[in-house]
Amino acid sequence: MTLAQVQADFRRWLESEDRAAGERLELCDERGLPVYVNNYRGQLIGCLEENFPQTLAWIGEGRFDECARHHTVAIPPHSWTL
């Protein structure tokens, strides 16, 4: 497996928790993968909170977090950087 393939599978895992991609990563213990998903989505949500403070204040933290989580799954970033 090439580095590009590993990176592509890891990205698929982060974006959609693709089980097949996670299994191809050849880790000793794949139970740690959810930690990366949580961190990835947390960082994306943090960026949304920082860039949309008025929306956050308007709809509240709980609703904003719910919508942001849905958004990060439905529409993941298209590039390697925000």
Side-chain angles (χ1 to χ4, degrees):
M1 180 175 273
T2 68
L3 177 59
Q5 290 169 322
V6 170
Q7 290 173 329
D9 278 339
F10 191 64
R11 182 172 182 157
R12 269 192 289 284
W13 169 258
L14 288 176
E15 291 176 354
S16 64
E17 295 182 66
D18 183 324
R19 170 76 65 206
E23 290 171 356
R24 285 191 301 268
L25 290 172
E26 300 176 8
L27 300 171
C28 295
D29 189 350
E30 67 182 51
R31 290 179 295 176
L33 283 173
V35 172
Y36 291 102
V37 171
N38 187 50
N39 186 53
Y40 169 73
R41 290 188 184 149
Q43 292 294 321
L44 292 176
I45 290 168
C47 289
L48 290 171
E49 289 173 346
E50 194 171 305
N51 285 284
F52 297 97
Q54 291 174 325
T55 304
L56 173 61
W58 180 51
I59 66 174
E61 191 173 318
R63 182 72 175 135
F64 187 92
D65 186 63
E66 180 184 327
C67 292
R69 286 185 186 284
H70 174 76
H71 179 75
T72 60
V73 171
I75 307 170
H78 297 288
S79 69
W80 64 273
T81 182
L82 295 176

